[in-house]
Amino acid sequence: MLRKDSADNYTSAIPFDNLPNYVAACKFDSLRGKRIGVPRNVLGAPTDTSTPILEAFEASIAIVKAAGAIIVENTNYTAYQAFRATNSTTVILGADIINNLKKYLDQLVLNPNNVHTLADVSKFTHRFPQEDYPDRITAR
């Protein structure tokens, strides 16, 4: 069951009340003949932390190709460097979270962990075992 929150613009934008069965809709041959571009310039050079992600990405390309898709290599995002220089997505998302977090937390009817600020959320995340801190880094 999906839970929408009118004070959370991300969950309130969910267009349905029950989660669709996406797996049931998947057909292995539904990609046959579809062209899928791979913008290699967006992927960047592998690092110790990104290597497993890039390996999984490459494996997924092989699966999609086996399903009949036509893989078009190096469909590079020509304005990528300019986009990265502005860092606009991170700035917008970060500003939205920071500006609305305290307001959102203050509106909670139940706040069993007594979190009211971004610092409180960070402290809670570091202490809560299910967050897997420090294995799952939260400083980015």
Side-chain angles (χ1 to χ4, degrees), residues 3 6-7 11-12 24 31 39 43 46 51 60 74-75 81 85 87-88 105 107-108 112 122 132-134:
R3 296 185 67 197
S6 62
T11 62
S12 62
L31 293 175
L43 300 176
T51 297
S60 68
N74 298 316
T75 54
Q81 292 306 324
N87 207 13
S88 59
L105 293 172
Q107 292 176 359
L108 292 175
S122 181
D132 292 330
Y133 180 81

Side-chain angles (χ1 to χ4, degrees), residues 24-42:
C26 293
K27 305 289 183 246
F28 190 74
D29 64 348
S30 63
L31 293 175
R32 181 169 288 127
K34 305 300 186 278
R35 294 171 50 90
I36 299 177
V38 181
R40 296 278 176 195
N41 69 323
V42 175

Side-chain angles (χ1 to χ4, degrees), residues 1-4 14 16-20:
M1 174 59 90
L2 294 172
R3 296 185 67 197
K4 295 182 183 183
I14 297 172
F16 37 74
D17 293 321
N18 295 312
L19 190 62

Side-chain angles (χ1 to χ4, degrees), residues 71-123:
I71 303 301
V72 182
E73 289 288 347
N74 298 316
T75 54
N76 290 338
Y77 180 18
T78 56
Y80 182 66
Q81 292 306 324
F83 172 77
R84 290 288 298 173
T86 64
N87 207 13
S88 59
T89 302
T90 303
V91 170
I92 292 168
L93 180 59
D96 186 37
I97 291 170
I98 305 272
N99 290 337
N100 295 309
L101 181 65
K102 181 169 178 16
K103 179 181 175 186
Y104 173 77
L105 293 172
D106 288 344
Q107 292 176 359
L108 292 175
V109 174
L110 180 63
N111 189 344
N113 298 297
N114 200 30
V115 291
H116 298 281
T117 66
L118 183 58
D120 292 343
V121 171
S122 181
K123 287 177 194 169

Side-chain angles (χ1 to χ4, degrees), residues 46-60:
T47 65
D48 289 342
T49 56
S50 71
T51 297
I53 296 167
L54 293 172
E55 289 172 356
F57 181 76
E58 293 299 331
S60 68

